[in-house]
Amino acid sequence: MFQRILIANRGEIALRVIRACRELGIESVAVFSEADRGAHYLKLADEAYCIGNAPASESYLQINRIISAAEIGNVQAIHPGYGFLAENAHFAEVCRSCNIEFIGPPHKAMEELGDKNSARRIAADAKVPTVPGSEGLITDDSSAAELANRIGYPVLIKATAGGGGKGMRVARNDISLKAGLKAAAQEAEKAFSNAGVYIEKYVERPRHVEVQVLADTHGNVVHLWERDCSLQRRHQKLVEESPAPNLPLSVRQEMCKAAVRLVKSAGYTNAGTCEFLVDKDHKFYFIELNARIQVEHPVSEEISGVDLIKEQIRVAAGEHLKLKQRNIKVNGAAVEVRINAEDPDNDFRPSPGRITDLRIPGGGGIRWDSHVHQDYVVGPYYDSMIGKLIVHRDTRADAFATMRRALAEMHVGGIKTTIPLLRRIFDDAAFNDGNVDTTYVERTF
Ligand code: ADP
C-alpha cells in the first residue's frame, strides 16, 4: 500500500480524498493555488505545496508543477479528483513515467474512452447499445445532412472531446444543422482545442441514468448499481439519486451488465461511470464513459456501503477487489443535491463572496461533503459548487422527506446559492413521483 499520496485537486474533492487517506493510515500531500492559500481543508493534509497563481491554467492544470510537488513530497501516487487533470491521459502517462502511480485507469483506456466518438465504437463492439448516429467524425455538411435525414431529425451535434455540456447543438432541419455544425466545432475548438464533432439522434425527453463500476488490475469488475441524474439544468446535474425510480429491475440489471461488459472490453481499471440515456420505452443508449470519480459518487456509496475513494486507492496499489458482485446490494435510497454559489434569480451567474453565516443541517440520514465554513471566501476562479448534501434513508419517500427538512434547515448567508431552487424542486409533484427527464427543470422552473 502507498505511504503518501498527492491530491492534484482542490475544494470538496481534495478534502474527500484527504479524509479517505487519513482513515487508511496514508499521509496526504495537498497542492494549492494562491487563491486557495490558507484554506482550512489544506490544514487537514499532512503537507501542502503552492503550485502557482489563481487561474487553473497557472496552477491546477500545470503538470510540471504538480509532478515537482509530488517529488518534493515524496509520494508514491497521485489522486486527480474530478475536473482539472482527472481525465487527461497525458497527465496519467507522465505520472507513471515518473514512477508515481496515477489513481485512475491506464492512460491508453483513458485516451480511447475520452474521445466520445471512439468510445461509441468501443461500446458498439462490446454489444452495448449506442444512440443511432455517425460512425466517425463529421467531415462535410452534405454527408452530415444525408446522415441526419437518414436517422431522422432532430439530431444532436456533439463535440468528440466534449464535457460539461459544451459544444452541443440540437438541429431540427438541414439549415439549423449547417449552422449548428459550425457553431459546435468553433465552441469545441475554443474549449477543448479539438474541433471534431459527430451527430447523434436527439433522444426527446430522456432520462439520464449512469452505472458506477469498479475494476481492479486483475480482471475483476463489479458495478455498484445505477444513479439517476435526470434533474439537470443546461445538461448540468443538479440532483442525483439511487436507485433510479420507476425503472424495472430487469432494465437496471441489463444496464449494469452492459456497463461491466464495456469496462472489460476497454481494458479499463479503477472507478468509472457509464452514462446512458433512457427513453420513454425504457430503452437505454450509452452516451459516454467518465474515466474518473464523479461528483455524485456519494449516492452510490450510501446505498452500497462501499467507500469508492478507498477502493480507488486500493485498486491503484494493485490489490484485488474484495467486493463480490452478489454481495453488492442496493440498501435503501440515497439522494444528493449540489449546492452552488450561483444566483437562481440572475440566470445562475456565479455569486462569489464571503460566507457570512453558515448553518449546516444535521440529524439522521444526513451527510455533508464540503470544504467551506463560516467566513470562507468563495472565489471567482473555479467551479461554483460549495458543497453536496446527501441523504440516505430506507425508502425514497423517507429520503425525500429528510432532504426537504435538511434544505429547510440549511442557511448560507452572504452569497446567493441554488438552495431556493432545490427547495422548490423537492416540493414538485412530478419529481416526487420520479417522473422527470433531462429537460424538466428548464421546462418547469
Ligand atoms: P458532457 O460530457 O458534455 O456532459 P454528455 O454526453 O454526458 O455530455 O451529455 C450530457 C447531457 O446532454 C446528458 O445527460 C443529456 O441530458 C444530454 N444529451 C446527451 N446526448 C443526448 C442525446 N443524444 N439526446 C438527448 N440528450 C442528450
Side-chain angles (χ1 to χ4, degrees):
M1 183 40 82
F2 309 120
Q3 276 98 49
R4 277 163 89 78
I5 290 176
L6 179 135
I7 301 147
N9 215 299
R10 63 173 300 281
E12 178 275 320
I13 192 64
L15 177 55
R16 172 74 187 85
V17 181
I18 291 169
R19 285 172 169 159
C21 287
R22 180 76 62 194
E23 290 178 18
L24 287 171
I26 296 170
E27 289 179 345
S28 56
V29 176
V31 293
F32 60 91
S33 71
E34 287 296 351
D36 287 326
R37 182 182 286 282
H40 180 72
Y41 69 89
L42 296 169
K43 300 188 180 91
L44 301 177
D46 291 280
E47 275 170 30
Y49 295 104
C50 181
I51 52 166
N53 293 327
S57 60
E58 296 174 31
S59 49
Y60 297 108
L61 292 172
Q62 279 283 337
I63 294 180
N64 300 344
R65 296 190 187 166
I66 290 167
I67 296 289
S68 302
E71 280 173 351
I72 297 166
N74 198 20
V75 303
Q76 294 92 42
I78 294 183
H79 195 299
Y82 51 68
F84 299 124
L85 296 169
E87 288 181 277
N88 184 317
H90 173 64
F91 178 56
E93 193 178 2
V94 170
C95 290
R96 291 182 181 125
S97 69
C98 295
N99 268 325
I100 299 165
E101 185 51 29
F102 174 81
I103 301 176
H107 66 265
K108 193 148 179 316
M110 287 171 79
E111 231 159 59
E112 287 172 355
L113 293 162
D115 183 280
K116 292 189 188 194
N117 194 251
S118 106
R120 276 167 62 80
R121 212 165 32 237
I122 296 171
D125 289 346
K127 307 236 173 326
V128 174
T130 56
V131 188
S134 44
E135 304 239 310
L137 295 179
I138 298 298
T139 50
D140 64 285
D141 290 353
S142 63
S143 58
E146 204 178 291
L147 174 72
N149 283 290
R150 185 146 37 84
I151 60 178
Y153 283 107
V155 298
L156 188 64
I157 305 159
K158 295 174 84 169
T160 194
K166 283 205 194 87
M168 265 192 254
R169 289 280 185 297
V170 182
R172 297 192 180 268
N173 53 49
D174 287 358
I175 296 165
S176 69
L177 177 70
K178 197 170 168 200
L181 284 170
K182 202 166 159 214
Q186 275 170 356
E187 194 174 312
E189 175 65 40
K190 204 167 149 231
F192 317 110
S193 305
N194 178 348
V197 294
Y198 63 101
I199 292 179
E200 267 177 15
K201 172 91 187 150
Y202 181 65
V203 184
E204 300 268 13
R205 303 196 175 179
R207 286 169 67 177
H208 173 118
V209 182
E210 57 186 33
V211 177
Q212 176 70 56
V213 289
L214 199 51
D216 68 17
T217 53
H218 309 281
N220 303 302
V221 185
V222 295
H223 67 77
L224 285 85
W225 297 94
E226 79 285 355
R227 296 183 286 257
D228 190 322
C229 314
S230 299
L231 218 76
Q232 307 180 346
R233 186 187 155 270
R234 296 203 180 145
H235 306 308
Q236 297 278 25
K237 298 162 189 166
L238 291 170
V239 181
E240 304 98 357
E241 63 175 305
S242 185
N246 304 335
L247 198 59
L249 178 63
S250 58
V251 177
R252 295 167 49 218
Q253 281 170 331
E254 277 311 309
M255 291 177 79
C256 291
K257 276 195 215 150
V260 168
R261 226 165 36 236
L262 176 53
V263 160
K264 279 192 175 155
S265 79
Y268 188 91
T269 65
N270 216 287
T273 298
C274 284
E275 296 192 331
F276 296 95
L277 296 179
V278 180
D279 70 13
K280 284 177 205 64
D281 304 321
H282 295 157
K283 274 175 80 174
F284 61 86
Y285 308 93
F286 168 80
I287 49 171
E288 68 166 335
L289 191 145
N290 287 323
R292 58 159 196 274
I293 193 74
Q294 283 189 282
V295 172
E296 58 272 27
H297 76 274
V299 166
S300 303
E301 295 187 323
E302 293 303 316
I303 56 113
S304 67
V306 174
D307 186 314
L308 280 163
I309 304 286
K310 289 182 186 167
E311 290 300 327
Q312 280 194 295
I313 295 171
R314 290 191 186 111
V315 162
E319 289 188 9
H320 283 81
L321 272 180
K322 290 198 187 74
L323 294 161
K324 294 273 174 283
Q325 189 65 64
R326 63 174 181 281
N327 296 333
I328 304 174
K329 298 258 166 23
V330 178
N331 177 16
V335 60
E336 170 185 281
V337 298
R338 301 184 186 200
I339 298 187
N340 296 341
E342 291 169 3
D343 185 354
D345 296 324
N346 187 7
D347 200 31
F348 294 85
R349 295 238 168 82
S351 173
R354 180 178 299 274
I355 297 177
T356 52
D357 190 14
L358 184 65
R359 269 170 285 161
I360 304 300
I366 290 175
R367 167 173 169 184
W368 171 242
D369 277 21
S370 168
H371 61 296
V372 307
H373 48 80
Q374 182 131 350
D375 287 328
Y376 179 88
V377 177
V378 181
Y381 297 102
Y382 315 112
D383 88 55
S384 56
M385 196 178 74
I386 58 167
K388 310 183 299 203
L389 185 59
I390 305 119
V391 167
H392 181 215
R393 288 296 200 190
D394 285 346
T395 64
R396 184 173 188 266
D398 287 348
F400 275 44
T402 300
M403 183 60 90
R404 264 191 299 279
R405 188 268 291 170
L407 285 169
E409 284 178 20
M410 175 128 204
H411 176 71
V412 183
I415 56 169
K416 299 275 189 197
T417 71
T418 44
I419 295 172
L421 172 69
L422 292 167
R423 288 187 188 133
R424 286 168 61 205
I425 286 173
F426 276 84
D427 281 337
D428 180 81
F431 178 51
N432 276 278
D433 290 344
N435 233 340
V436 299
D437 61 72
T438 60
T439 66
Y440 187 74
V441 171
E442 270 143 280
R443 284 188 289 115
T444 315
F445 294 92

